[in-house]
């Protein structure tokens, strides 16, 4: 039986994500799989690539053939170099820094709050300037004439 390591497409239209699966080569793209060994989310920045290295090494050692997209991912994670005994087995996978995301999120919230406070202060200043600067306005003349009558 010819075994392939390939991608199984999931997700919605225009929002794909994939599972890295071991499957009989005669099965259809999203058909029954032997084992799922990872996942790949190409729409994230940087793309999420998670592959169970131990299981990938096992399937490669028993003769499973990776498709070209999966081969590229195995090279990025360093699993292909480890299997072939080549240098560079640490891979070149970029990892999303979750602390950096939290820092950016907090900074965005603070800037939005500062902007809202600034707008409120400008609106209050504009309201106080409108009521004090124009004695010819009808509201201020009514209050002035009522003060004279008393």
């Amino acid at each position: 039986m010819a075994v392939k390591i390939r991608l199984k497409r999931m997700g919605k239209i225009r929002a794909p994500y994939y599972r890295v699966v071991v499957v009989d080569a005669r099965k259809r793209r999203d058909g029954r799989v032997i084992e799922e060994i990872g996942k790949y989310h190409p729409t994230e920045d940087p793309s999420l690539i998670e592959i169970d290295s131990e299981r990938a090494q096992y399937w490669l050692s028993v003769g499973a053939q990776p498709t070209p997209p999966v081969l590229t991912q195995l090279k990025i994670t360093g699993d292909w170099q480890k299997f072939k005994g080549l240098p560079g087995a640490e891979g070149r996978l970029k990892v999303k820094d979750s602390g950096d995301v939290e820092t950016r999120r907090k900074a965005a919230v603070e800037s939005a709050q500062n902007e809202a406070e600034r707008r409120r202060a400008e609106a209050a200043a504009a309201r106080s300037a409108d009521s004090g600067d124009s004695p010819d306005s009808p509201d201020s003349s009514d209050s002035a004439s009522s003060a004279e009558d008393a």
Side-chain angles (χ1 to χ4, degrees):
M1 170 168 78
V3 178
K4 294 259 186 196
I5 302 174
R6 64 183 183 202
L7 297 176
K8 177 179 181 179
R9 190 183 195 282
M10 305 189 79
K12 299 185 285 188
I13 296 174
R14 293 181 205 85
Y17 63 91
Y18 300 90
R19 291 190 182 160
V20 181
V21 296
V22 178
V23 65
D24 181 6
R26 296 169 291 187
K27 296 287 184 181
R28 57 191 178 159
R29 179 190 71 182
D30 298 335
R32 186 166 161 244
V33 301
I34 298 171
E35 183 180 359
E36 292 180 359
I37 62 171
K39 57 185 175 180
Y40 171 52
H41 295 263
T43 56
E44 292 185 11
D45 186 33
S47 297
L48 171 74
I49 301 174
E50 286 182 11
I51 295 179
D52 184 355
S53 181
E54 183 179 311
R55 297 307 297 162
Q57 294 301 316
Y58 167 76
W59 283 108
L60 290 169
S61 70
V62 296
Q65 295 297 309
T67 59
V70 174
L71 181 61
T72 302
Q73 292 175 5
L74 291 173
K75 287 179 180 177
I76 290 171
T77 60
D79 292 322
W80 185 253
Q81 291 89 329
K82 193 183 302 181
F83 171 68
K84 289 292 190 178
L86 300 172
E90 65 278 350
R92 59 182 195 273
L93 180 64
K94 293 182 196 172
V95 180
K96 188 186 300 186
D97 187 15
S98 61
D100 186 35
V101 171
E102 282 297 318
T103 305
R104 284 186 279 164
R105 184 178 294 140
K106 287 179 183 178
V109 168
E110 288 178 14
S111 68
Q113 288 174 343
N114 292 340
E115 181 68 21
E117 289 175 12
R118 186 185 61 80
R119 287 183 180 170
R120 279 190 221 113
E122 287 177 358
R127 273 187 260 131
S128 66
D130 286 345
S131 64
D133 285 345
S134 58
D136 297 334
S137 68
D139 294 335
S140 62
S141 63
D142 290 341
S143 61
S145 64
S146 63
E148 291 174 4
D149 293 338

